Amino acid sequence: MSEGIVQRRKAKVEEKNVSSDEKTADDVQASESDSHDDDKMARLTLMEEILLLGLKDREGYTSFWNDCISSGLRGCVMIELALRNRIELEKSGMRKKNLVSRKVILKSDKPTGDVILDESLKHIKETQPTETVVSWIEYLSGETWNPLKLRYQLRNVRERLAKNLVEKGVLSTEKQNFLLFDMTTHPLQNSVMKAKLIKRVQEAVLQRWTNDVHRMDKKMLSLIVLAHASDVLENAFAPLSDQDYELAMRRVRTLLELDHEVECEKKPNPSHDVMWAVFEAFSK
């Protein structure tokens, strides 16, 4: 995991001379802009954040060689539904079923307002008998040998997420010609938003790091683990110095090497159990 990007961009800071009046005006404008961007950031789903980390800024699409992001995004769907209190895991019972054997239970069918999440919620609601987290990730990805389950596949997820980000002012839309075909791409429009997302991920494993995983924000914890599973985490760490990069990756490894069954038992929570089950599914 410490391999990957060999050359990382070094952040460069240029000092600019501005008058005190200009600086004051710029500070006010920047403060208002920051507040507006923070509001937008709060509205981004886990899936949108993963896609944004994996997106090439100028080209407007994810790497053609990345075959992990598809299942990673489906894992995000399950965690997002759990964090929004729509689903949970069945109780482990007297025989103490392991995480990946416990079934996903519908907690509430109240719409989330997100089309992809609501589509997934509808599938979970209609499915009897209930299924495990591992099965749902496979079904939603379309990676199942059971033809009866293919109808659960979420189609065009990356394109739909990109369009959501266009509506939120983060991406734009362009047409690119690739010799034999035209392709709709979504180049980055709001670079400040992506920079803030990257900074939040970096700070989570550097300045804001805690050795107690249960004190970490669950969405940020999920973002780090699933960004790794989706092979896009390197993009967030690329601008770091060599020293910070090694420290960040070492701390990420401690998260990836956790015993999810043990952590789940420390603070039982049916909704958080879904998160631990997703982590376990991607650790195999």
Side-chain angles (χ1 to χ4, degrees):
M1 184 175 63
S2 60
E3 298 177 359
I5 297 177
V6 179
Q7 296 182 343
R8 299 186 298 279
R9 292 183 292 110
K10 304 278 185 170
K12 296 182 179 179
V13 179
E14 297 181 356
E15 294 183 1
K16 298 181 179 179
N17 296 322
V18 295
S19 68
S20 58
D21 290 342
E22 289 174 332
K23 189 173 182 181
T24 302
D26 287 346
D27 286 347
V28 172
Q29 188 175 4
S31 177
E32 292 175 349
S33 176
D34 285 351
S35 176
H36 184 60
D37 284 340
D38 286 341
D39 289 343
K40 282 185 177 179
M41 186 65 74
R43 295 199 303 269
L44 294 188
T45 65
L46 197 53
M47 302 91 73
E48 290 165 352
E49 289 178 335
I50 292 288
L51 183 71
L52 193 53
L53 286 178
L55 205 70
K56 296 175 182 289
D57 293 357
R58 293 183 180 179
E59 293 87 342
Y61 50 82
T62 55
S63 171
F64 293 128
W65 307 109
N66 188 338
D67 58 356
C68 304
I69 195 169
S70 178
S71 57
L73 289 172
R74 273 65 176 186
C76 289
V77 168
M78 299 304 294
I79 291 178
E80 188 84 43
L81 286 173
L83 294 180
R84 295 186 185 212
N85 292 313
R86 298 307 195 275
I87 60 174
E88 61 185 16
L89 284 194
E90 65 176 349
K91 291 181 171 55
S92 59
M94 295 295 290
R95 295 186 180 180
K96 292 289 181 184
K97 285 185 181 178
N98 59 35
L99 281 168
V100 293
S101 298
R102 291 163 64 186
K103 307 291 187 178
V104 175
I105 305 297
L106 181 72
K107 190 173 182 181
S108 168
D109 62 355
K110 181 182 178 182
T112 65
D114 181 277
V115 177
I116 293 174
L117 292 179
D118 289 343
E119 184 180 334
S120 305
L121 193 62
K122 182 173 179 286
H123 291 325
I124 294 171
K125 178 183 178 180
E126 295 174 349
T127 302
Q128 291 295 334
T130 52
E131 300 280 3
T132 65
V133 160
V134 174
S135 295
W136 274 117
I137 292 174
E138 291 175 351
Y139 297 161
L140 298 177
S141 302
E143 297 175 357
T144 174
W145 293 104
N146 188 340
L148 298 177
K149 304 296 184 181
L150 288 174
R151 63 192 179 92
Y152 295 141
Q153 181 181 0
L154 297 177
R155 301 184 183 278
N156 305 316
V157 169
R158 272 177 269 190
E159 178 63 21
R160 290 158 71 183
L161 290 173
K163 286 181 178 178
N164 288 348
L165 289 170
V166 170
E167 291 176 2
K168 293 177 180 180
V170 183
L171 305 180
S172 59
T173 302
E174 292 181 2
K175 286 283 187 182
Q176 294 284 345
N177 180 267
F178 289 87
L179 296 178
L180 300 176
F181 61 94
D182 288 335
M183 175 177 166
T184 301
T185 60
H186 299 282
L188 184 66
Q189 178 169 290
N190 191 332
S191 57
V192 175
M193 281 277 285
K194 183 165 184 176
K196 285 191 173 185
L197 173 61
I198 288 173
K199 184 180 179 182
R200 283 174 52 231
V201 174
Q202 292 173 353
E203 288 181 343
V205 292
L206 292 173
Q207 295 92 335
R208 297 177 182 272
W209 174 252
T210 169
N211 286 319
D212 181 2
V213 68
H214 294 281
R215 292 174 58 194
M216 287 186 71
D217 175 76
K218 296 301 179 287
K219 186 174 180 182
M220 176 52 68
L221 173 60
S222 301
L223 178 60
I224 292 170
V225 174
L226 289 183
H228 175 269
S230 302
D231 199 19
V232 300
L233 187 58
E234 284 274 6
N235 298 344
F237 293 161
L240 293 174
S241 67
D242 289 347
Q243 184 176 358
D244 283 347
Y245 176 85
E246 289 301 328
L247 177 59
M249 295 305 282
R250 187 161 62 247
R251 286 173 171 173
V252 168
R253 278 195 292 273
T254 65
L255 296 179
L256 299 175
E257 291 168 0
L258 289 172
D259 186 322
H260 305 125
E261 299 285 352
V262 171
E263 299 303 330
C264 178
E265 289 295 323
K266 285 182 181 178
K267 291 191 176 181
N269 181 313
S271 294
H272 292 169
D273 290 356
V274 173
M275 177 191 74
W276 293 116
V278 171
F279 292 174
E280 184 68 13
F282 282 103
S283 69
K284 299 302 182 184

